[in-house]
Amino acid sequence: MNVKRVAAAVAAAAILGSVNWTAVAGAAPSTGSDSGSASGSASGSSDLWPVATAPASSATMILAYSFGNRIPAGVDPARTIGDPGPVNEALAAAVVATRGDRSVPVYAQTEIAVVLKSRYGLTDVVSIDPDRAADGTLVYLSTDGVAAKVAELRGASVSTDSVAVVAFKDHLWRATATTAKHGFKAFAPAGVTMPKDYDPQSGQIWTTSPLLYLPTDLLGRLALLR
């Protein structure tokens, strides 16, 4: 459990209770230099935060962000990535739906990548894994950290990549905007359903309910509007 993140979520929930989000929520994320070609928008946590969409067939790559996990009994969560859990299994299914029968590159966080490989036989998926500290503990991999790792892997291709972003519904706006911040043209794949049900048994407590998750996500969205 990331104690600092949980504390931030609780504190943000208290602060945000009196905030009127309507005034700031109308701005959609920039989707990169070519964002004008997006065909529409999809909802994030609310229709106040529309996410630009485009046909899945227009993507030159897919980037999938994980959401939560399941920590097996008896293991150290500080050193164990954990099992995918139902949300990441649903995200893997969304990746498969987005890719269809095409062979576009897929970059996915560990919890999604393992499902894509084991259940769907996608042996070419690039797994985006967290780093480890000198003592072997996991270094938390943020949304921005994932996008940065993928941008580094793509190199000069970033400027021409059209990225279909797969993420939990309440994370989709921020995931898409963060991907765009790193130079990609980013959008949600039109017609692909993203999972929206929280997992109360997730090993990451801030992903167990909207009450614990949305305050910090909304603060992250505001930071991207600056």
Side-chain angles (χ1 to χ4, degrees):
M1 180 186 302
N2 188 315
V3 177
K4 289 183 179 179
R5 191 176 179 92
V6 173
V10 173
I15 295 169
L16 294 176
S18 62
V19 175
N20 181 354
W21 287 99
T22 304
V24 297
S30 168
T31 55
S33 61
D34 239 350
S35 59
S37 62
S39 63
S41 64
S43 300
S45 62
S46 164
D47 288 339
L48 295 173
W49 294 88
V51 181
T53 64
S57 59
S58 68
T60 59
M61 61 170 278
I62 299 167
L63 174 50
Y65 293 87
S66 65
F67 196 82
N69 60 23
R70 287 284 182 91
I71 301 296
V75 304
D76 182 358
R79 299 173 183 274
T80 306
I81 293 177
D83 297 331
V87 176
N88 290 308
E89 290 173 354
L91 287 166
V95 170
V96 172
T98 301
R99 196 185 201 201
D101 58 1
R102 301 192 306 141
S103 58
V104 295
V106 175
Y107 295 79
Q109 278 189 262
T110 312
E111 297 89 342
I112 300 172
V114 296
V115 179
L116 291 172
K117 292 176 181 179
S118 63
R119 182 176 299 180
Y120 297 101
L122 269 66
T123 57
D124 56 346
V125 61
V126 179
S127 182
I128 306 301
D129 307 323
D131 296 325
R132 290 186 181 271
D135 63 358
T137 57
L138 294 167
V139 177
Y140 180 73
L141 184 55
S142 66
T143 301
D144 187 74
V146 172
K149 280 177 175 278
V150 175
E152 182 177 7
L153 290 170
R154 297 298 293 174
S157 297
V158 168
S159 61
T160 57
D161 283 330
S162 292
V163 184
V165 175
V166 171
F168 186 73
K169 186 175 181 182
D170 283 346
H171 184 211
L172 187 59
W173 191 99
R174 187 162 61 90
T176 304
T178 301
T179 304
K181 188 187 79 170
H182 284 271
F184 295 102
K185 175 189 172 187
F187 55 86
V192 176
T193 301
M194 302 296 167
K196 63 179 181 179
D197 294 330
Y198 286 80
D199 176 17
Q201 298 180 55
S202 173
Q204 296 178 334
I205 193 171
W206 61 92
T207 64
T208 58
S209 74
L211 178 63
L212 288 175
Y213 179 71
L214 286 176
T216 48
D217 192 89
L218 288 167
L219 286 175
R221 297 183 201 187
L222 286 180
L224 289 163
L225 292 176
R226 293 175 184 170

